[in-house]
Amino acid sequence: DRAKPLCYGDIVLLSCSFGQNKIAYLSEDGCVVKDDDESLKVSSRDITFEVCTAQDSRTLNEITDLLRKRNSSEKGSDDGFDSAQLERLKKSRQIEVRANEAYSKQMKGKPLTYGDFIQLKHTKRQSFLGIDVSVAPHFDSDAKRIYLTSEAGACVRFKIVPRFNCLCEGNTVCFGDNICLMSADHPKEYLHLSSGNRTEDIGLVHEVDLSRDRSTVWSVECFYSYDASSELTVKTGDVVRLFHSAGHGYLAAYSDGRSTTAHFERCDA
């Protein structure tokens, strides 16, 4: 449904087209390539991501910097280290975490607009797309490596940018739109499809990195909307009772230990 707005909490597929009739889906291993006449060799859980609010980690970064300075000091001891400041930052971090949780809960189900900042959580691994600046990607030494991480400070905050000038910040993001994902912490660097390697298990997989190359255009497809997670919607795994309106009863099962039979239990009401 291309007219439907993308909302926080939606489970989505992120894909990009390249070459002739080739589509690559973002996954935990990179981008898995699918030809028009072939089926994907991965499950849907491997290529689905939840659209989450961008977490505020400024206090966490301050704690990390403070501890790094202590560890890199010439004395290698706690002499001159401000322990009181560290304790204040730890308390501030607890407040920051609670504020992030409250904001995430508040925004669930609300539409996204261009210019919003998001994070992408892999539904199977329950980890976020993150940046590893210590290791260069295999195919582009000038780019930054993208990987899955559970560390809050390493998660990438992406700004949703329209690919074409017919849309601007403030417009609603809809499924099927062509978008670019720009890093909030590394301006003018985008989620980018790089070169690929063929694997035995899942075929051709392209590396994904953070690059100044803006040529990769992503398309967002709805896999499972947040609205469908309502308690009013029946989902796979839900336990239900089946009512027969003509028989005025519920479908029930009786077992004598050797066999099980189905029958209707009439309601007293």
Side-chain angles (χ1 to χ4, degrees):
D1 186 355
R2 291 179 176 268
K4 184 178 179 182
L6 174 65
C7 298
Y8 289 102
D10 285 348
I11 308 297
V12 301
L13 304 170
L14 280 163
S15 64
C16 57
S17 301
F18 69 100
Q20 187 174 11
N21 300 324
K22 291 182 181 293
I23 300 177
Y25 287 91
L26 186 64
S27 72
E28 60 177 309
D29 300 307
C31 265
V32 183
V33 177
K34 175 185 179 299
D35 292 321
D36 270 356
D37 57 347
E38 295 181 0
S39 59
L40 283 172
K41 298 179 181 179
V42 295
S43 71
S44 57
R45 295 183 64 219
D46 293 318
I47 57 174
T48 52
F49 290 82
E50 179 182 349
V51 180
C52 304
T53 54
Q55 302 290 295
D56 186 1
S57 58
R58 286 174 293 182
T59 304
L60 177 61
N61 294 335
E62 288 184 41
I63 293 174
T64 303
D65 291 340
L66 186 64
L67 294 175
R68 185 183 295 116
K69 289 178 181 178
R70 182 182 66 175
N71 294 335
S72 62
S73 64
E74 294 182 2
K75 296 181 180 180
S77 65
D78 289 343
D79 293 344
F81 179 74
D82 192 346
S83 300
Q85 182 185 5
L86 179 60
E87 291 303 315
R88 288 194 298 270
L89 287 174
K90 286 182 177 180
K91 291 180 181 179
S92 297
R93 175 56 184 168
Q94 293 175 357
I95 297 173
E96 189 175 69
V97 170
R98 290 196 294 268
N100 285 335
E101 293 173 349
Y103 180 65
S104 176
K105 186 176 181 180
Q106 174 190 349
M107 296 302 292
K108 285 287 181 69
K110 293 186 177 180
L112 279 85
T113 58
Y114 286 103
D116 285 350
F117 294 94
I118 63 169
Q119 289 179 332
L120 294 171
K121 181 168 70 173
H122 193 262
T123 54
K124 180 179 179 180
R125 299 298 182 189
Q126 290 296 293
S127 299
F128 293 87
L129 288 187
I131 300 177
D132 184 1
V133 295
S134 64
V135 180
H138 293 293
F139 299 101
D140 187 355
S141 59
D142 294 327
K144 296 177 177 64
R145 176 174 171 259
I146 292 289
Y147 74 118
L148 289 179
T149 178
S150 57
E151 298 179 14
C155 301
V156 188
R157 297 184 302 133
F158 289 110
K159 181 179 181 180
I160 305 180
V161 180
R163 180 65 182 89
F164 302 108
N165 293 332
C166 58
L167 295 169
C168 61
E169 290 193 11
N171 292 151
T172 302
V173 184
C174 295
F175 289 111
D177 283 0
N178 291 317
I179 66 172
C180 295
L181 294 171
M182 182 178 73
S183 169
D185 304 306
H186 302 275
K188 304 301 181 182
E189 296 190 24
Y190 301 85
L191 190 66
H192 172 251
L193 180 73
S194 185
S195 300
N197 284 325
R198 182 165 294 279
T199 64
E200 294 182 2
D201 297 333
I202 56 179
L204 184 61
V205 179
H206 279 253
E207 189 175 55
V208 176
D209 54 36
L210 197 68
S211 169
R212 291 189 176 274
D213 187 342
R214 194 186 174 183
S215 61
T216 303
V217 180
W218 298 96
S219 179
V220 186
E221 303 173 40
C222 180
F223 181 81
Y224 191 81
S225 68
Y226 176 76
D227 294 338
S229 63
S230 167
E231 294 181 356
L232 301 178
T233 304
V234 179
K235 302 173 288 299
T236 302
D238 286 350
V239 179
V240 299
R241 298 178 70 189
L242 299 178
F243 180 75
H244 195 285
S245 57
H248 300 286
Y250 290 95
L251 182 64
Y254 171 77
S255 175
D256 59 5
R258 290 174 295 180
S259 61
T260 302
T261 57
H263 65 280
F264 283 100
E265 287 187 353
R266 292 182 60 85
C267 300
D268 295 333

